[in-house]
Amino acid sequence: MISTTKYTTLMNIFVLTALLSLFISSTTSFIVPHTTRVRAVARAVVRSNVPLQQPLQPLAASDTSNADVDVETLESVLMKVNSMGAVGMSKVESASTSEEVERVRLDYLGKKGQITKVMSLMRTLNADDKKALGAAVNEVKQKMEDVLSTKKDAVVNEELLAEMESERVDVTMPGISSRGVGHRHPLSMIIERATDTFVKLGYDTVTELEDSPEIESDYYCFEALNCPPDHPARDMQDSFYLTDPDGPEETYMLRTHTSAVQIHQMEKRKPPFRIVAPGRVYRRDDIDATHSMIFHQIEILAIEEKGKLTLGDLKGTVEYFLKQMFGPTIEVRFRGSFFPFTEPSMEVDVKFKGKWLEVLGCGMVDPRVLEKAGIDPEKFGGFAAGFGAERFAMVIHGISDIREFYNGDNRFLEQFPHFGDQGITAFLEGRVAEKKEENAAGAEEKQKKKKAEGGSAAQAAPASAEIDISKLDIRVGTVVKAWKHEEAEKLYCEEIDIGEDEPRLICSGLRNHMGLEELEGKRVLVLANLKARKMVGVPSHGMVLCAFTDDDSEVKLVEPAEGAPNGARVTVEGFEGEPATENQILKKKMLDKIMPKLKVNGDGVVAWDGVPLATEQGVVKSTMPGCSVG
């Protein structure tokens, strides 16, 4: 008999031997099946006469050899991948919303997608088969991604169009509610009032794009204004710079001030002249309650013969302007300062509502600035001044945040009156309704007078005595070149030399009355102080004077006296005043009051109100007596 201890030891050996044989059979391919080894171990135990208290349990079917696992072939896997791709792409094509497209993408290409799962079969394949399977899966994935991208773009566009259609508003339908008549922007009213004040003083407004560009070169913005590249004044006016691909050597920027307009005008005009230039400017400032990257400036420039404009003239002009803007009771003080383009320079303060506030800068134009613009500083001089429209509006209206001007909030805009109609001074003094009351009283008085006269029509008031032929700047010129207007069948385009640096480009309606050969070289009279305007796309600056019949069936040029040089001014005896500015001609509608009196008398002499037009060389003539001139 075997002792209990020996029996237990033998049983442990038997179990360990059986487990070892199972392990070896599952990891090697060249040993005999584990059942044979179990039998051998069992026979050994029997020979040792070890009694078995419990029989051996049969092994589970899942513990059998790997030889019983069904492994897919490479061909079957490739077929499955291609089939998945075809089914997935068909689902993509049938998707009608962006959500459905995304769902298909996740089902096939997501982390747990069908095609992604195929890659788990890689571990059952040899190296060559792995390459083949990887290439096939990548090809299918690429095709599906392309189809998904295209379909998603199309579906998103369709959804956007559908959304736009659902939100479409018929703008021709009446509004649900009306807020009444809108209000003009306070900045627009400030700019208009300031500009009108200077126009009344004889200044020309410069706002045309070619004369006041918002994209400037470094030369016009800084160098021509006495600010070389290393000048410290540039640090206060850092701008937004641009790159010109056609001329990288030239530096361009969004202008930092409207002073550049002054340089353009000094190069273009001959002294004497006066201009006012409003416009938008840009600086790289941090936006806060008192700073903005975009704001508006208004600058003036007056150039005369040296000695005619003094510092006293500048102070008088500035003080008059400020009283027009802030009211006649304000106090004004001037302080010495520095600007690179004026010398001497001054800062100007106003005492408004009990406080001294800085409002503008000014000074006499630096001779170096004149010289750079081609004006002889030994012969000419002048002054300049500039200010910010936002600054004026904030001071006048007590606005504490500059950002309010650009928010477009109607509640903000409704707080301001129409300055052009009511007057800013009346607004400041609380008398906004006074003008309306005066107008109403005047109308009532006129009505009473009319009734007292028996209802007879009131006689038209005579034209203002100050508006006469002297306000027109009529110059002798010669047609240098003429051609047919490409867009207007009745117009010629002519370059006419009137004694300026370059010929004037003027469009005239002579095409049905004269040939080009007859027109070129012809001596003419040009009305020169008319504002430039486009004639069917061509900028025309001035008007050629002609005599014409009442039905316009016959039109002929009027003829200056023989020997009169180009640029000679035509005058009328007894009316020797200075010509009006282009803006004054337009705003006061002077042509409507002057031109009807311009006719050819019975002797063939052009006359205004019966008095001949003439130069020093003689009178102006026409071969059409009794006809009007215009």
PDB file of all heavy atoms in Angstrom, residues 311-341:
ATOM      1  N   LEU A 311       0.319 134.938 -40.252  1.00  0.00           N
ATOM      2  CA  LEU A 311      -0.164 134.175 -39.098  1.00  0.00           C
ATOM      3  C   LEU A 311      -1.474 134.766 -38.579  1.00  0.00           C
ATOM      4  O   LEU A 311      -2.350 134.048 -38.078  1.00  0.00           O
ATOM      5  CB  LEU A 311       0.894 134.170 -38.002  1.00  0.00           C
ATOM      6  CG  LEU A 311       0.756 133.099 -36.914  1.00  0.00           C
ATOM      7  CD1 LEU A 311       0.857 131.714 -37.500  1.00  0.00           C
ATOM      8  CD2 LEU A 311       1.812 133.305 -35.835  1.00  0.00           C
ATOM      9  N   GLY A 312      -1.628 136.063 -38.728  1.00  0.00           N
ATOM     10  CA  GLY A 312      -2.865 136.710 -38.314  1.00  0.00           C
ATOM     11  C   GLY A 312      -4.053 136.249 -39.152  1.00  0.00           C
ATOM     12  O   GLY A 312      -5.159 136.063 -38.639  1.00  0.00           O
ATOM     13  N   ASP A 313      -3.822 136.082 -40.461  1.00  0.00           N
ATOM     14  CA  ASP A 313      -4.888 135.574 -41.332  1.00  0.00           C
ATOM     15  C   ASP A 313      -5.290 134.164 -40.919  1.00  0.00           C
ATOM     16  O   ASP A 313      -6.484 133.811 -40.924  1.00  0.00           O
ATOM     17  CB  ASP A 313      -4.425 135.575 -42.792  1.00  0.00           C
ATOM     18  CG  ASP A 313      -4.148 136.974 -43.306  1.00  0.00           C
ATOM     19  OD1 ASP A 313      -4.993 137.851 -43.069  1.00  0.00           O
ATOM     20  OD2 ASP A 313      -3.094 137.176 -43.921  1.00  0.00           O
ATOM     21  N   LEU A 314      -4.299 133.337 -40.583  1.00  0.00           N
ATOM     22  CA  LEU A 314      -4.590 131.974 -40.138  1.00  0.00           C
ATOM     23  C   LEU A 314      -5.425 131.992 -38.860  1.00  0.00           C
ATOM     24  O   LEU A 314      -6.442 131.279 -38.758  1.00  0.00           O
ATOM     25  CB  LEU A 314      -3.284 131.215 -39.907  1.00  0.00           C
ATOM     26  CG  LEU A 314      -3.408 129.854 -39.206  1.00  0.00           C
ATOM     27  CD1 LEU A 314      -4.277 128.898 -40.010  1.00  0.00           C
ATOM     28  CD2 LEU A 314      -2.021 129.254 -38.980  1.00  0.00           C
ATOM     29  N   LYS A 315      -5.026 132.813 -37.882  1.00  0.00           N
ATOM     30  CA  LYS A 315      -5.755 132.863 -36.615  1.00  0.00           C
ATOM     31  C   LYS A 315      -7.180 133.378 -36.823  1.00  0.00           C
ATOM     32  O   LYS A 315      -8.138 132.860 -36.222  1.00  0.00           O
ATOM     33  CB  LYS A 315      -4.999 133.738 -35.612  1.00  0.00           C
ATOM     34  CG  LYS A 315      -3.662 133.149 -35.182  1.00  0.00           C
ATOM     35  CD  LYS A 315      -2.902 134.079 -34.259  1.00  0.00           C
ATOM     36  CE  LYS A 315      -3.566 134.180 -32.903  1.00  0.00           C
ATOM     37  NZ  LYS A 315      -2.751 134.986 -31.956  1.00  0.00           N
ATOM     38  N   GLY A 316      -7.341 134.355 -37.676  1.00  0.00           N
ATOM     39  CA  GLY A 316      -8.679 134.872 -37.949  1.00  0.00           C
ATOM     40  C   GLY A 316      -9.567 133.838 -38.616  1.00  0.00           C
ATOM     41  O   GLY A 316     -10.751 133.697 -38.280  1.00  0.00           O
ATOM     42  N   THR A 317      -8.979 133.087 -39.580  1.00  0.00           N
ATOM     43  CA  THR A 317      -9.748 132.055 -40.273  1.00  0.00           C
ATOM     44  C   THR A 317     -10.180 130.960 -39.311  1.00  0.00           C
ATOM     45  O   THR A 317     -11.341 130.528 -39.310  1.00  0.00           O
ATOM     46  CB  THR A 317      -8.901 131.447 -41.407  1.00  0.00           C
ATOM     47  OG1 THR A 317      -8.547 132.473 -42.336  1.00  0.00           O
ATOM     48  CG2 THR A 317      -9.674 130.357 -42.129  1.00  0.00           C
ATOM     49  N   VAL A 318      -9.250 130.511 -38.475  1.00  0.00           N
ATOM     50  CA  VAL A 318      -9.550 129.424 -37.537  1.00  0.00           C
ATOM     51  C   VAL A 318     -10.585 129.871 -36.515  1.00  0.00           C
ATOM     52  O   VAL A 318     -11.532 129.125 -36.196  1.00  0.00           O
ATOM     53  CB  VAL A 318      -8.255 128.953 -36.839  1.00  0.00           C
ATOM     54  CG1 VAL A 318      -8.576 128.035 -35.675  1.00  0.00           C
ATOM     55  CG2 VAL A 318      -7.340 128.247 -37.838  1.00  0.00           C
ATOM     56  N   GLU A 319     -10.447 131.085 -35.994  1.00  0.00           N
ATOM     57  CA  GLU A 319     -11.394 131.561 -34.987  1.00  0.00           C
ATOM     58  C   GLU A 319     -12.792 131.709 -35.575  1.00  0.00           C
ATOM     59  O   GLU A 319     -13.788 131.345 -34.946  1.00  0.00           O
ATOM     60  CB  GLU A 319     -10.903 132.885 -34.408  1.00  0.00           C
ATOM     61  CG  GLU A 319     -11.733 133.348 -33.218  1.00  0.00           C
ATOM     62  CD  GLU A 319     -11.059 134.466 -32.430  1.00  0.00           C
ATOM     63  OE1 GLU A 319      -9.843 134.665 -32.628  1.00  0.00           O
ATOM     64  OE2 GLU A 319     -11.753 135.122 -31.636  1.00  0.00           O
ATOM     65  N   TYR A 320     -12.878 132.239 -36.797  1.00  0.00           N
ATOM     66  CA  TYR A 320     -14.188 132.368 -37.459  1.00  0.00           C
ATOM     67  C   TYR A 320     -14.825 130.993 -37.642  1.00  0.00           C
ATOM     68  O   TYR A 320     -16.017 130.791 -37.355  1.00  0.00           O
ATOM     69  CB  TYR A 320     -14.017 133.049 -38.817  1.00  0.00           C
ATOM     70  CG  TYR A 320     -15.268 133.009 -39.661  1.00  0.00           C
ATOM     71  CD1 TYR A 320     -16.305 133.917 -39.451  1.00  0.00           C
ATOM     72  CD2 TYR A 320     -15.410 132.053 -40.672  1.00  0.00           C
ATOM     73  CE1 TYR A 320     -17.461 133.877 -40.229  1.00  0.00           C
ATOM     74  CE2 TYR A 320     -16.554 131.999 -41.446  1.00  0.00           C
ATOM     75  CZ  TYR A 320     -17.583 132.914 -41.223  1.00  0.00           C
ATOM     76  OH  TYR A 320     -18.724 132.864 -41.989  1.00  0.00           O
ATOM     77  N   PHE A 321     -14.035 130.023 -38.091  1.00  0.00           N
ATOM     78  CA  PHE A 321     -14.553 128.666 -38.320  1.00  0.00           C
ATOM     79  C   PHE A 321     -15.050 128.038 -37.016  1.00  0.00           C
ATOM     80  O   PHE A 321     -16.143 127.459 -36.971  1.00  0.00           O
ATOM     81  CB  PHE A 321     -13.454 127.802 -38.945  1.00  0.00           C
ATOM     82  CG  PHE A 321     -13.727 126.336 -38.860  1.00  0.00           C
ATOM     83  CD1 PHE A 321     -14.735 125.744 -39.599  1.00  0.00           C
ATOM     84  CD2 PHE A 321     -12.972 125.516 -38.017  1.00  0.00           C
ATOM     85  CE1 PHE A 321     -14.987 124.382 -39.509  1.00  0.00           C
ATOM     86  CE2 PHE A 321     -13.220 124.163 -37.917  1.00  0.00           C
ATOM     87  CZ  PHE A 321     -14.237 123.598 -38.672  1.00  0.00           C
ATOM     88  N   LEU A 322     -14.266 128.162 -35.939  1.00  0.00           N
ATOM     89  CA  LEU A 322     -14.652 127.543 -34.671  1.00  0.00           C
ATOM     90  C   LEU A 322     -15.920 128.161 -34.102  1.00  0.00           C
ATOM     91  O   LEU A 322     -16.752 127.461 -33.504  1.00  0.00           O
ATOM     92  CB  LEU A 322     -13.501 127.646 -33.669  1.00  0.00           C
ATOM     93  CG  LEU A 322     -12.251 126.825 -34.004  1.00  0.00           C
ATOM     94  CD1 LEU A 322     -11.148 127.090 -32.987  1.00  0.00           C
ATOM     95  CD2 LEU A 322     -12.583 125.338 -34.050  1.00  0.00           C
ATOM     96  N   LYS A 323     -16.111 129.443 -34.284  1.00  0.00           N
ATOM     97  CA  LYS A 323     -17.339 130.073 -33.799  1.00  0.00           C
ATOM     98  C   LYS A 323     -18.545 129.640 -34.631  1.00  0.00           C
ATOM     99  O   LYS A 323     -19.673 129.589 -34.112  1.00  0.00           O
ATOM    100  CB  LYS A 323     -17.185 131.591 -33.805  1.00  0.00           C
ATOM    101  CG  LYS A 323     -16.249 132.084 -32.704  1.00  0.00           C
ATOM    102  CD  LYS A 323     -16.163 133.596 -32.635  1.00  0.00           C
ATOM    103  CE  LYS A 323     -15.281 134.028 -31.458  1.00  0.00           C
ATOM    104  NZ  LYS A 323     -15.182 135.507 -31.345  1.00  0.00           N
ATOM    105  N   GLN A 324     -18.322 129.328 -35.893  1.00  0.00           N
ATOM    106  CA  GLN A 324     -19.405 128.784 -36.703  1.00  0.00           C
ATOM    107  C   GLN A 324     -19.796 127.384 -36.241  1.00  0.00           C
ATOM    108  O   GLN A 324     -20.949 126.982 -36.341  1.00  0.00           O
ATOM    109  CB  GLN A 324     -18.991 128.729 -38.183  1.00  0.00           C
ATOM    110  CG  GLN A 324     -18.815 130.076 -38.831  1.00  0.00           C
ATOM    111  CD  GLN A 324     -20.123 130.849 -38.925  1.00  0.00           C
ATOM    112  OE1 GLN A 324     -21.117 130.323 -39.394  1.00  0.00           O
ATOM    113  NE2 GLN A 324     -20.114 132.090 -38.460  1.00  0.00           N
ATOM    114  N   MET A 325     -18.820 126.643 -35.723  1.00  0.00           N
ATOM    115  CA  MET A 325     -19.073 125.264 -35.319  1.00  0.00           C
ATOM    116  C   MET A 325     -19.573 125.165 -33.886  1.00  0.00           C
ATOM    117  O   MET A 325     -20.473 124.374 -33.580  1.00  0.00           O
ATOM    118  CB  MET A 325     -17.787 124.432 -35.457  1.00  0.00           C
ATOM    119  CG  MET A 325     -17.281 124.295 -36.890  1.00  0.00           C
ATOM    120  SD  MET A 325     -18.442 123.484 -37.990  1.00  0.00           S
ATOM    121  CE  MET A 325     -18.519 121.841 -37.294  1.00  0.00           C
ATOM    122  N   PHE A 326     -18.988 125.945 -32.959  1.00  0.00           N
ATOM    123  CA  PHE A 326     -19.301 125.807 -31.534  1.00  0.00           C
ATOM    124  C   PHE A 326     -20.171 126.927 -30.967  1.00  0.00           C
ATOM    125  O   PHE A 326     -20.557 126.869 -29.809  1.00  0.00           O
ATOM    126  CB  PHE A 326     -18.003 125.731 -30.717  1.00  0.00           C
ATOM    127  CG  PHE A 326     -17.189 124.508 -30.988  1.00  0.00           C
ATOM    128  CD1 PHE A 326     -16.136 124.531 -31.883  1.00  0.00           C
ATOM    129  CD2 PHE A 326     -17.482 123.306 -30.352  1.00  0.00           C
ATOM    130  CE1 PHE A 326     -15.376 123.398 -32.134  1.00  0.00           C
ATOM    131  CE2 PHE A 326     -16.735 122.171 -30.595  1.00  0.00           C
ATOM    132  CZ  PHE A 326     -15.683 122.208 -31.489  1.00  0.00           C
ATOM    133  N   GLY A 327     -20.442 127.932 -31.784  1.00  0.00           N
ATOM    134  CA  GLY A 327     -21.249 129.046 -31.301  1.00  0.00           C
ATOM    135  C   GLY A 327     -20.432 130.304 -31.131  1.00  0.00           C
ATOM    136  O   GLY A 327     -19.216 130.251 -30.892  1.00  0.00           O
ATOM    137  N   PRO A 328     -21.065 131.470 -31.243  1.00  0.00           N
ATOM    138  CA  PRO A 328     -20.331 132.752 -31.251  1.00  0.00           C
ATOM    139  C   PRO A 328     -19.789 133.172 -29.890  1.00  0.00           C
ATOM    140  O   PRO A 328     -18.996 134.116 -29.816  1.00  0.00           O
ATOM    141  CB  PRO A 328     -21.398 133.745 -31.734  1.00  0.00           C
ATOM    142  CG  PRO A 328     -22.705 133.130 -31.335  1.00  0.00           C
ATOM    143  CD  PRO A 328     -22.520 131.652 -31.436  1.00  0.00           C
ATOM    144  N   THR A 329     -20.187 132.498 -28.822  1.00  0.00           N
ATOM    145  CA  THR A 329     -19.770 132.938 -27.485  1.00  0.00           C
ATOM    146  C   THR A 329     -18.542 132.208 -26.953  1.00  0.00           C
ATOM    147  O   THR A 329     -18.110 132.478 -25.828  1.00  0.00           O
ATOM    148  CB  THR A 329     -20.928 132.744 -26.492  1.00  0.00           C
ATOM    149  OG1 THR A 329     -21.271 131.348 -26.432  1.00  0.00           O
ATOM    150  CG2 THR A 329     -22.154 133.539 -26.922  1.00  0.00           C
ATOM    151  N   ILE A 330     -17.962 131.289 -27.720  1.00  0.00           N
ATOM    152  CA  ILE A 330     -16.831 130.509 -27.213  1.00  0.00           C
ATOM    153  C   ILE A 330     -15.560 131.363 -27.148  1.00  0.00           C
ATOM    154  O   ILE A 330     -15.430 132.371 -27.843  1.00  0.00           O
ATOM    155  CB  ILE A 330     -16.556 129.273 -28.095  1.00  0.00           C
ATOM    156  CG1 ILE A 330     -16.172 129.706 -29.513  1.00  0.00           C
ATOM    157  CG2 ILE A 330     -17.718 128.327 -28.097  1.00  0.00           C
ATOM    158  CD1 ILE A 330     -15.551 128.596 -30.337  1.00  0.00           C
ATOM    159  N   GLU A 331     -14.620 130.923 -26.315  1.00  0.00           N
ATOM    160  CA  GLU A 331     -13.284 131.522 -26.251  1.00  0.00           C
ATOM    161  C   GLU A 331     -12.310 130.612 -26.991  1.00  0.00           C
ATOM    162  O   GLU A 331     -12.422 129.381 -26.938  1.00  0.00           O
ATOM    163  CB  GLU A 331     -12.829 131.683 -24.805  1.00  0.00           C
ATOM    164  CG  GLU A 331     -13.679 132.636 -23.990  1.00  0.00           C
ATOM    165  CD  GLU A 331     -13.173 132.760 -22.565  1.00  0.00           C
ATOM    166  OE1 GLU A 331     -11.943 132.937 -22.382  1.00  0.00           O
ATOM    167  OE2 GLU A 331     -13.994 132.646 -21.646  1.00  0.00           O
ATOM    168  N   VAL A 332     -11.339 131.210 -27.679  1.00  0.00           N
ATOM    169  CA  VAL A 332     -10.351 130.455 -28.456  1.00  0.00           C
ATOM    170  C   VAL A 332      -8.962 130.850 -27.996  1.00  0.00           C
ATOM    171  O   VAL A 332      -8.689 132.049 -27.777  1.00  0.00           O
ATOM    172  CB  VAL A 332     -10.503 130.726 -29.971  1.00  0.00           C
ATOM    173  CG1 VAL A 332      -9.476 129.920 -30.755  1.00  0.00           C
ATOM    174  CG2 VAL A 332     -11.916 130.395 -30.434  1.00  0.00           C
ATOM    175  N   ARG A 333      -8.057 129.879 -27.848  1.00  0.00           N
ATOM    176  CA  ARG A 333      -6.666 130.192 -27.515  1.00  0.00           C
ATOM    177  C   ARG A 333      -5.739 129.360 -28.390  1.00  0.00           C
ATOM    178  O   ARG A 333      -6.062 128.238 -28.789  1.00  0.00           O
ATOM    179  CB  ARG A 333      -6.380 129.933 -26.037  1.00  0.00           C
ATOM    180  CG  ARG A 333      -6.325 128.480 -25.624  1.00  0.00           C
ATOM    181  CD  ARG A 333      -6.057 128.328 -24.130  1.00  0.00           C
ATOM    182  NE  ARG A 333      -5.973 126.921 -23.739  1.00  0.00           N
ATOM    183  CZ  ARG A 333      -5.927 126.505 -22.474  1.00  0.00           C
ATOM    184  NH1 ARG A 333      -5.950 127.383 -21.477  1.00  0.00           N
ATOM    185  NH2 ARG A 333      -5.848 125.213 -22.200  1.00  0.00           N
ATOM    186  N   PHE A 334      -4.577 129.928 -28.698  1.00  0.00           N
ATOM    187  CA  PHE A 334      -3.577 129.286 -29.540  1.00  0.00           C
ATOM    188  C   PHE A 334      -2.336 128.988 -28.710  1.00  0.00           C
ATOM    189  O   PHE A 334      -1.872 129.844 -27.955  1.00  0.00           O
ATOM    190  CB  PHE A 334      -3.212 130.190 -30.721  1.00  0.00           C
ATOM    191  CG  PHE A 334      -4.349 130.445 -31.668  1.00  0.00           C
ATOM    192  CD1 PHE A 334      -5.300 131.414 -31.394  1.00  0.00           C
ATOM    193  CD2 PHE A 334      -4.472 129.710 -32.837  1.00  0.00           C
ATOM    194  CE1 PHE A 334      -6.351 131.658 -32.259  1.00  0.00           C
ATOM    195  CE2 PHE A 334      -5.511 129.943 -33.711  1.00  0.00           C
ATOM    196  CZ  PHE A 334      -6.463 130.918 -33.423  1.00  0.00           C
ATOM    197  N   ARG A 335      -1.798 127.779 -28.859  1.00  0.00           N
ATOM    198  CA  ARG A 335      -0.583 127.370 -28.152  1.00  0.00           C
ATOM    199  C   ARG A 335       0.471 126.918 -29.158  1.00  0.00           C
ATOM    200  O   ARG A 335       0.149 126.261 -30.160  1.00  0.00           O
ATOM    201  CB  ARG A 335      -0.873 126.188 -27.204  1.00  0.00           C
ATOM    202  CG  ARG A 335      -1.827 126.515 -26.074  1.00  0.00           C
ATOM    203  CD  ARG A 335      -2.090 125.286 -25.202  1.00  0.00           C
ATOM    204  NE  ARG A 335      -2.902 124.289 -25.870  1.00  0.00           N
ATOM    205  CZ  ARG A 335      -2.468 123.140 -26.367  1.00  0.00           C
ATOM    206  NH1 ARG A 335      -1.176 122.834 -26.297  1.00  0.00           N
ATOM    207  NH2 ARG A 335      -3.310 122.287 -26.920  1.00  0.00           N
ATOM    208  N   GLY A 336       1.722 127.261 -28.905  1.00  0.00           N
ATOM    209  CA  GLY A 336       2.799 126.819 -29.773  1.00  0.00           C
ATOM    210  C   GLY A 336       2.943 125.301 -29.759  1.00  0.00           C
ATOM    211  O   GLY A 336       2.767 124.647 -28.735  1.00  0.00           O
ATOM    212  N   SER A 337       3.265 124.713 -30.915  1.00  0.00           N
ATOM    213  CA  SER A 337       3.386 123.258 -31.025  1.00  0.00           C
ATOM    214  C   SER A 337       4.372 122.937 -32.141  1.00  0.00           C
ATOM    215  O   SER A 337       5.106 123.815 -32.616  1.00  0.00           O
ATOM    216  CB  SER A 337       2.005 122.634 -31.293  1.00  0.00           C
ATOM    217  OG  SER A 337       2.090 121.226 -31.279  1.00  0.00           O
ATOM    218  N   PHE A 338       4.392 121.670 -32.555  1.00  0.00           N
ATOM    219  CA  PHE A 338       5.279 121.257 -33.647  1.00  0.00           C
ATOM    220  C   PHE A 338       4.562 120.277 -34.573  1.00  0.00           C
ATOM    221  O   PHE A 338       3.937 119.316 -34.113  1.00  0.00           O
ATOM    222  CB  PHE A 338       6.538 120.576 -33.120  1.00  0.00           C
ATOM    223  CG  PHE A 338       7.340 119.906 -34.212  1.00  0.00           C
ATOM    224  CD1 PHE A 338       8.145 120.659 -35.047  1.00  0.00           C
ATOM    225  CD2 PHE A 338       7.240 118.539 -34.442  1.00  0.00           C
ATOM    226  CE1 PHE A 338       8.860 120.053 -36.074  1.00  0.00           C
ATOM    227  CE2 PHE A 338       7.954 117.928 -35.459  1.00  0.00           C
ATOM    228  CZ  PHE A 338       8.764 118.691 -36.271  1.00  0.00           C
ATOM    229  N   PHE A 339       4.620 120.570 -35.861  1.00  0.00           N
ATOM    230  CA  PHE A 339       4.241 119.632 -36.904  1.00  0.00           C
ATOM    231  C   PHE A 339       5.339 119.694 -37.959  1.00  0.00           C
ATOM    232  O   PHE A 339       5.838 120.788 -38.263  1.00  0.00           O
ATOM    233  CB  PHE A 339       2.890 119.995 -37.538  1.00  0.00           C
ATOM    234  CG  PHE A 339       1.754 120.038 -36.551  1.00  0.00           C
ATOM    235  CD1 PHE A 339       1.171 121.247 -36.198  1.00  0.00           C
ATOM    236  CD2 PHE A 339       1.294 118.874 -35.965  1.00  0.00           C
ATOM    237  CE1 PHE A 339       0.132 121.298 -35.285  1.00  0.00           C
ATOM    238  CE2 PHE A 339       0.252 118.908 -35.045  1.00  0.00           C
ATOM    239  CZ  PHE A 339      -0.332 120.116 -34.702  1.00  0.00           C
ATOM    240  N   PRO A 340       5.728 118.555 -38.534  1.00  0.00           N
ATOM    241  CA  PRO A 340       6.842 118.574 -39.487  1.00  0.00           C
ATOM    242  C   PRO A 340       6.552 119.339 -40.776  1.00  0.00           C
ATOM    243  O   PRO A 340       7.482 119.753 -41.461  1.00  0.00           O
ATOM    244  CB  PRO A 340       7.087 117.081 -39.770  1.00  0.00           C
ATOM    245  CG  PRO A 340       5.830 116.394 -39.378  1.00  0.00           C
ATOM    246  CD  PRO A 340       5.242 117.193 -38.271  1.00  0.00           C
ATOM    247  N   PHE A 341       5.277 119.561 -41.092  1.00  0.00           N
ATOM    248  CA  PHE A 341       4.944 120.194 -42.372  1.00  0.00           C
ATOM    249  C   PHE A 341       4.535 121.659 -42.227  1.00  0.00           C
ATOM    250  O   PHE A 341       4.187 122.298 -43.211  1.00  0.00           O
ATOM    251  CB  PHE A 341       3.823 119.420 -43.077  1.00  0.00           C
ATOM    252  CG  PHE A 341       2.845 118.761 -42.142  1.00  0.00           C
ATOM    253  CD1 PHE A 341       1.807 119.476 -41.593  1.00  0.00           C
ATOM    254  CD2 PHE A 341       2.995 117.425 -41.814  1.00  0.00           C
ATOM    255  CE1 PHE A 341       0.921 118.890 -40.730  1.00  0.00           C
ATOM    256  CE2 PHE A 341       2.104 116.811 -40.940  1.00  0.00           C
ATOM    257  CZ  PHE A 341       1.055 117.547 -40.386  1.00  0.00           C
TER     258      PHE A 341
END
